[in-house]
Amino acid sequence: MTADQKFRHWMRTLIVLFIVLFLYIIIADRHAPLTTEGRVQGYVVQVAPEVSGKVTSVSVVNNQSVNKGDVLFTIDERKYDIALEQAELSLQSAYEKEATLYSQREAAVANIARAQATYDNAHREYNRLLKLSRQKVISQSSVDNAFAQNQVAHATLKAEQQNLKVIEAQLGDKKGESTAVRIARNKLEKAQLDLTNTRVLAPSDGVVTNLQLEVGTMANTNMPLLTFVPTGSMWVAADFREKSVANLNESYHALVAFDANPGGVYEFDISSRDYGVAAAQQTPNGALTKVEVNNRWVRDAQRTRVNLTSQDNMPSSLFVGSRATIVVYPQDNMFWHLMAQVQIHIASWFHFIY
């Protein structure tokens, strides 16, 4: 074979390989798409105190792993101790006031009985004198005086009855349920809660990161002071071209290679696919439509996010924001499963270089 024939042979071979590779890329992008646009995502909790005060101690260091309930930092509790003692005294005073109200109720009941007797007597006297007046036995002035005494006695009875209602309204349905006691008890519970909240605890198992908190910092209510990443909250978010995952369904599986772990390949389940992207989000603003202008012959493909989760723990070297390469494939197709394995392992080996 001459040199010219060898050259033609190699050129034909390269052209065939190029065509085969080109066709494979087109077909594989529909059945086993691969993307390098993947990141480890995780919930980030901004820990904020529920009370204000000066930070007196910080119990953790940067990037420390903690368990749920561990103390992260403490706020000066002296004023909350005083508030708690004041609330306890207020509750005691409320109980004493309630006891006084019970005594007043007994007195009010006795006053009603006395007023009722006085009214009954005045009413009978008025009726008796009224009969005598009709017989012209007594003067009209005597009847008028009796009528006035009857009205006064009736008004006194009504006043005593209303006084009893006022007292009973403050007492509530049973002992310990008076308005004053309930208000004082709520204040006591609030003071106890505030004192408890001077110790800020880890909301779950996780890692404290980007710690910039020092003793002496003035903490304000609901103002974040510490960043916390819960353990087990991380997942992988992969951005695919929209046409690549148009056929994505529950039969698909994912293989992931992390930049932080060259040579390693991990299996993931497809959790969900986002239903939109920020570029298409509309906010009512009273303005006209903004038309997107693109002067390129071939515009960039729109990407959509696919979220991946794993039943196994992720490598400890990963963090929120770690980069990843992902390939998805149908589990019920052995060919594409094999091709996905080949693609992801090649990508994983390349991570030794870049």
Side-chain angles (χ1 to χ4, degrees), residues 233-280:
S233 69
M234 293 193 297
W235 71 95
V236 174
D239 296 336
F240 287 91
R241 289 187 297 274
E242 57 181 324
K243 70 180 181 66
S244 300
V245 291
N247 299 322
L248 197 68
N249 55 47
E250 62 276 2
S251 68
Y252 274 70
H253 201 60
L255 296 173
V256 180
F258 296 104
D259 290 15
N261 289 76
V265 174
Y266 303 87
E267 294 188 0
F268 276 74
D269 298 319
I270 295 176
S271 173
S272 64
R273 184 175 68 175
D274 287 1
Y275 201 65
V277 294

Side-chain angles (χ1 to χ4, degrees), residues 296-322:
R296 299 176 58 181
W297 285 15
V298 180
R299 57 176 169 78
D300 293 334
Q302 178 60 57
R303 291 182 177 268
T304 183
R305 176 154 296 180
V306 176
N307 299 298
L308 312 173
T309 57
S310 175
Q311 300 296 330
D312 302 323
N313 292 329
M314 291 191 186
S316 58
S317 58
L318 299 181
F319 54 89
V320 176
S322 290

Side-chain angles (χ1 to χ4, degrees), residues 70-353:
D70 287 351
V71 178
L72 302 178
F73 60 92
T74 305
I75 295 173
D76 189 357
E77 60 185 24
R78 289 175 295 177
K79 68 177 181 180
Y80 297 103
D81 283 327
I82 296 172
L84 177 59
E85 184 178 1
Q86 180 64 41
E88 291 172 344
L89 293 174
S90 297
L91 180 60
Q92 181 61 35
S93 175
Y95 278 122
E96 293 171 357
K97 182 179 179 180
E98 184 182 70
T100 301
L101 287 174
Y102 274 104
S103 298
Q104 291 176 351
R105 186 178 70 171
E106 293 179 2
V109 171
N111 290 338
I112 289 174
R114 183 175 64 251
Q116 183 70 53
T118 301
Y119 169 69
D120 291 342
N121 183 61
H123 189 65
R124 286 193 299 269
E125 181 66 12
Y126 168 68
N127 289 332
R128 187 177 66 82
L129 293 179
L130 185 61
K131 290 179 181 179
L132 293 175
S133 173
R134 290 170 181 169
Q135 298 173 3
K136 307 298 182 178
V137 176
I138 60 173
S139 64
Q140 183 62 38
S141 62
S142 298
V143 176
D144 293 340
N145 289 335
F147 176 75
Q149 291 176 2
N150 178 69
Q151 292 297 100
V152 170
H154 184 261
T156 302
L157 175 61
K158 289 294 184 181
E160 295 295 345
Q161 290 173 339
Q162 291 300 318
N163 184 47
L164 178 61
K165 289 182 179 180
V166 170
I167 294 173
E168 289 180 338
Q170 297 179 63
L171 284 175
D173 297 332
K174 57 183 179 180
K175 285 189 176 182
E177 293 297 326
S178 66
T179 303
V181 169
R182 291 168 62 188
I183 292 174
R185 189 183 296 126
N186 288 342
K187 290 182 178 179
L188 177 61
E189 291 176 358
K190 175 65 166 55
Q192 291 172 335
L193 181 61
D194 287 344
L195 181 60
T196 301
N197 287 335
T198 58
R199 299 169 70 249
V200 180
L201 310 179
S204 63
D205 296 348
V207 178
V208 176
T209 187
N210 194 29
L211 180 64
Q212 300 178 17
L213 183 63
E214 290 290 342
V215 173
T217 301
M218 190 63 191
N220 294 316
T221 304
N222 298 327
M223 292 296 293
L225 291 178
L226 187 146
T227 304
F228 181 82
V229 180
T231 302
S233 69
M234 293 193 297
W235 71 95
V236 174
D239 296 336
F240 287 91
R241 289 187 297 274
E242 57 181 324
K243 70 180 181 66
S244 300
V245 291
N247 299 322
L248 197 68
N249 55 47
E250 62 276 2
S251 68
Y252 274 70
H253 201 60
L255 296 173
V256 180
F258 296 104
D259 290 15
N261 289 76
V265 174
Y266 303 87
E267 294 188 0
F268 276 74
D269 298 319
I270 295 176
S271 173
S272 64
R273 184 175 68 175
D274 287 1
Y275 201 65
V277 294
Q281 184 172 349
Q282 298 291 326
T283 302
N285 55 12
L288 296 176
T289 302
K290 183 179 180 181
V291 179
E292 184 176 348
V293 178
N294 192 336
N295 296 322
R296 299 176 58 181
W297 285 15
V298 180
R299 57 176 169 78
D300 293 334
Q302 178 60 57
R303 291 182 177 268
T304 183
R305 176 154 296 180
V306 176
N307 299 298
L308 312 173
T309 57
S310 175
Q311 300 296 330
D312 302 323
N313 292 329
M314 291 191 186
S316 58
S317 58
L318 299 181
F319 54 89
V320 176
S322 290
R323 299 300 297 265
T325 301
I326 302 97
V327 61
V328 296
Y329 64 92
Q331 286 183 285
D332 54 1
N333 191 306
M334 293 299 297
F335 174 77
W336 290 117
H337 185 185
L338 177 62
M339 290 297 99
Q341 290 277 1
V342 172
Q343 291 182 80
I344 199 65
H345 277 91
I346 292 175
S348 180
W349 294 332
F350 269 107
H351 288 163
F352 282 106
I353 303 173

